[in-house]
Amino acid sequence: MEIWINPACSKCRGALTLLDAEGADYTVRRYLEDVPSPEEIRAVLDRLGLEPWDITRTGEDVAEELGVKEWPRDGTAREKWIGALSAHPELIQRPIITAEDGTAVVGRTEEAVRDALSR
């Protein structure tokens, strides 16, 4: 199991606390420092069953600067979104937990983290 975190994020810290309390075996990836490549983002999106716009933090300053709210949310712009997430990892929703069964969840709630643990 791997968890992508920003240590400054309270949701990330909460997810780590729960994983520790449950005795989970996991690896931490500080994705702002160890930035995921476009290929890694594609793989995580496949595991999540989501599109890049589904995991983009559109309220971030850089999102506003890039104008992502105006970008098409379809296959024609998918690579543009993925490129933006890789170039500006602060746009990636967090935490993302990759489960042992090959799936992943955005662990913003206790229920989502427990869901990842049960897989």
Side-chain angles (χ1 to χ4, degrees):
M1 186 182 272
E2 181 176 77
I3 181 169
W4 292 7
I5 68 155
N6 172 352
C9 167
S10 63
K11 300 286 186 188
C12 294
R13 292 191 307 272
L16 291 174
T17 299
L18 181 55
L19 291 174
D20 289 341
E22 295 296 324
D25 183 24
Y26 64 91
T27 302
V28 171
R29 180 173 186 170
R30 294 178 179 218
Y31 70 93
L32 295 177
E33 299 163 14
D34 182 8
V35 178
S37 68
E39 294 78 20
E40 290 174 302
I41 292 170
R42 281 187 214 94
V44 141
L45 288 167
D46 288 345
R47 292 178 80 162
L48 287 165
L50 297 173
E51 293 295 338
W53 45 86
D54 296 324
I55 66 163
T56 300
R57 297 172 55 86
T58 59
E60 296 290 323
D61 289 344
V62 70
E64 177 115 3
E65 291 168 19
L66 294 171
V68 298
K69 287 184 180 179
E70 308 307 318
W71 293 359
R73 294 179 182 222
D74 59 29
T76 65
R78 188 173 199 266
E79 288 304 309
K80 183 177 184 177
W81 285 86
I82 289 170
L85 292 172
S86 184
H88 306 281
E90 64 273 25
L91 293 177
I92 299 172
Q93 191 60 262
R94 59 190 182 250
I96 293 177
I97 304 169
T98 56
E100 292 183 19
D101 70 352
T103 62
V105 299
V106 178
R108 295 195 55 78
T109 65
E110 181 177 330
E111 295 76 26
V113 176
R114 289 194 183 283
D115 181 37
L117 284 167
S118 70
R119 297 180 183 195

